């Protein structure tokens, strides 16, 4: 019951959007009470995602202030809201996605809470919900990847990127991975990419020529592009006729001013996706989570943990991910 819980907790709060200076580490934030179908989770690990930086900087807007950032974690259920799902019980080990994760305790809707199989540790649990489910829904729904397909993945050594490399390998696709440094490209290769390339930001033509060469002159069946503004044109240029271009992130800034007529050059399918529209119901979230645990258990998928920072080091953690210094997953420990 709530009575056995502390009254206050540590959390990272923002009172306005802006640079990393707006991040405030506090030790006296009230422990929230789970409402409606929420359960209260005591976080063991908290996952950092690039989207957290959009909500801090104002690219996306927090619903209200003061606001606790963070969108995923793993831990144990500490209390149940009045209409929590009957599958969820106090003490259960769970992973979740939602809001207000940069804290000791987080209330999360039953819709986005899944119990962890014994074989999945809390670090993978905290690392997987956003990034791995993004990768999994992309290869199943945005473009249903088939064995033997050529696929281009940008920022391939990042959180989503490394899951994409591993999942694509597991389903028998052939991945061309791009990343900014030799070390990152090596990591993408270790995670299943067949070919690794730099972005050739200075020389788009050379990049395009190279990808066409690799794919027998035809281009790739699909691109999963999370970099946005800087890579959109080169990504579109290497999609084959009737291929699929999926844009799912803005790490270099959003893509704007696109002229539809450009698609007719190759009858390309263009999507701008978000994870939430692939897992809008509890059934969808549970089904994809189950499929993911299966990949981890049967195909040996794993997550490269870049580092685990104490919650109070949130500024350093944020600067690392925005500064392109991280590979794989960055976790916080409350
Ligand atoms: P990452 O770990 O991939 O970190 C971002 C990476 O983007 C960097 O490491 C860097 O890799 C690359 N990058 C390219 N250009 C820039 C730039 N100008 N500034 C900073 N980084 C840059 O983060 P995540 O795995 O959390 O997310 C990856 C992307 O996917 C993000 O854009 C995120 O918003 C998006 N995303 C979208 C979702 C959706 O539902 N649509 C869900 C989850 C994530 P390198 O140095 O190799 O270029």
């Amino acid at each position: 019951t709530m009575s056995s819980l502390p009254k206050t907790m540590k959390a990272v709060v923002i009172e306005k959007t802006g640079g990393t200076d707006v991040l405030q580490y506090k030790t006296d934030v009230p422990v929230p009470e789970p409402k409606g179908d929420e359960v209260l989770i005591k976080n063991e690990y908290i996952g950092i995602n690039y989207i957290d930086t959009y909500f801090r900087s104002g690219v996306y807007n927090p619903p209200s202030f003061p606001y606790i950032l963070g969108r995923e974690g793993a831990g144990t259920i500490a209390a149940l809201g009045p209409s929590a799902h009957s599958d969820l019980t106090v003490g259960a080990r769970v992973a979740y996605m939602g809001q207000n994760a940069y804290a000791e305790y987080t209330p999360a809707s039953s819709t986005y809470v899944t119990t962890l199989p014994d074989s999945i540790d809390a670090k993978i649990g905290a690392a997987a919900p956003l990034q791995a489910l993004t990768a999994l829904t992309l290869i199943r729904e945005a473009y249903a990847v088939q064995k033997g397909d050529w696929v281009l993945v940008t920022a391939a050594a990042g959180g989503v990127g490394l899951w994409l490399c591993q999942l694509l390998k597991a389903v028998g696709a052939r991945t061309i991975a791009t990343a900014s440094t030799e070390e990152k490209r090596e990591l993408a290769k270790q995670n299943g990419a067949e070919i690794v390339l730099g972005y050739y930001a200075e020389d788009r033509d050379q990049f395009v020529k190279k990808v066409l060469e690799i794919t027998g002159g035809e281009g790739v069946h699909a691109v999963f592009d999370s970099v946005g503004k800087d890579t959109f044109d080169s990504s579109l240029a290497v999609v084959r006729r009737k291929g699929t271009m999926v844009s799912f992130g803005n790490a270099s800034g959003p893509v704007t001013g696109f002229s539809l007529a450009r698609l007719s050059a190759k009858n390309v399918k263009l999507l701008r996706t978000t994870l939430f529209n692939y897992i809008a119901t509890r059934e969808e979230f549970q089904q994809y989570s189950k499929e993911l645990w299966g990949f981890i258990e049967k195909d040996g998928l794993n997550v490269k943990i870049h580092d685990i920072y104490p919650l109070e080091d949130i500024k350093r953690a944020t600067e690392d991910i925005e500064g392109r210094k991280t590979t794989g997953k960055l976790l916080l420990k409350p």
Side-chain angles (χ1 to χ4, degrees):
T1 62
M2 288 295 293
S3 59
S4 56
L5 293 170
K7 294 266 176 302
T8 59
M9 64 176 187
K10 306 173 209 158
V12 174
V13 177
I14 60 169
E15 272 157 7
K16 57 180 185 207
T17 57
T20 54
D21 285 352
V22 303
L23 296 163
Q24 300 177 49
Y25 172 73
K26 296 195 169 179
T27 55
D28 58 352
V29 175
V31 171
E33 207 166 310
K35 299 188 189 74
D37 79 338
E38 289 172 351
V39 299
L40 187 70
I41 295 154
K42 185 173 197 314
N43 290 309
E44 192 173 341
Y45 293 99
I46 300 154
I48 294 191
N49 289 280
Y50 209 83
I51 194 171
D52 302 346
T53 72
Y54 304 147
F55 277 99
R56 188 218 67 235
S57 70
V59 173
Y60 299 160
N61 284 310
S64 60
F65 296 104
Y67 184 68
I68 299 175
L69 291 166
R71 301 184 85 80
E72 72 185 350
T76 51
I77 296 182
L80 302 171
S83 55
H85 196 281
S86 57
D87 284 358
L88 303 171
T89 51
V90 170
R93 294 176 66 239
V94 293
Y96 69 92
M97 46 190 274
Q99 299 189 61
N100 314 137
Y102 289 2
E104 280 179 277
Y105 292 91
T106 300
S109 162
S110 294
T111 305
Y112 295 118
V113 178
T114 183
T115 48
L116 282 173
D118 292 341
S119 62
I120 307 285
D121 78 48
K123 286 182 198 135
I124 297 194
L130 254 78
Q131 294 175 342
L133 291 183
T134 295
L136 182 56
T137 53
L138 284 175
I139 73 156
R140 292 292 192 229
E141 303 221 29
Y143 171 73
V145 175
Q146 303 297 308
K147 203 168 180 229
D149 281 352
W150 279 109
V151 178
L152 173 68
V153 173
T154 64
V160 179
L162 287 180
W163 286 110
L164 274 171
C165 290
Q166 294 181 77
L167 284 167
L168 288 166
K169 175 81 177 180
V171 300
R174 308 180 72 179
T175 300
I176 302 172
T178 57
S180 62
T181 68
E182 191 53 52
E183 190 200 345
K184 288 183 177 185
R185 293 192 282 274
E186 185 51 40
L187 192 61
K189 207 158 205 178
Q190 285 164 15
N191 279 264
E194 183 170 330
I195 312 268
V196 289
L197 298 172
Y199 294 111
Y200 294 110
E202 301 296 307
D203 190 351
R204 202 195 102 185
D205 292 345
Q206 197 197 336
F207 172 79
V208 172
K209 207 173 134 216
K210 195 125 201 178
V211 175
L212 290 180
E213 245 168 57
I214 294 162
T215 56
E218 294 199 67
V220 296
H221 294 81
V223 180
F224 296 119
D225 186 312
S226 65
V227 173
K229 185 164 72 70
D230 287 355
T231 53
F232 184 80
D233 286 337
S234 54
S235 289
L236 187 60
V238 300
V239 180
R240 68 176 53 195
R241 184 173 67 86
K242 300 195 282 182
T244 303
M245 164 84 194
V246 185
S247 177
F248 71 98
N250 321 303
S252 68
V255 176
T256 55
F258 178 73
S259 165
L260 266 188
R262 286 176 64 190
L263 298 177
S264 63
K266 293 182 287 189
N267 286 8
V268 165
K269 300 178 190 73
L270 173 66
L271 294 89
R272 174 56 167 98
T273 61
T274 86
L275 171 62
F276 298 97
N277 287 318
Y278 290 130
I279 51 161
T281 66
R282 186 162 206 269
E283 290 65 37
E284 287 170 321
F285 179 68
Q286 298 299 331
Q287 179 221 309
Y288 276 118
S289 298
K290 231 173 112 186
E291 190 182 0
L292 179 69
W293 310 140
F295 270 110
I296 292 170
E297 285 167 342
K298 290 191 219 70
D299 297 83
L301 265 64
N302 209 334
V303 60
K304 195 234 165 209
I305 304 291
H306 177 79
D307 213 336
I308 303 173
Y309 286 162
L311 185 58
E312 60 188 292
D313 281 353
I314 185 60
K315 270 188 203 170
R316 191 153 62 95
T318 302
E319 282 158 8
D320 282 359
I321 194 166
E322 281 185 319
R324 304 170 82 154
K325 288 189 195 134
T326 67
T327 52
K329 189 70 186 182
L330 200 45
L331 295 174
L332 296 169
K333 181 99 183 129

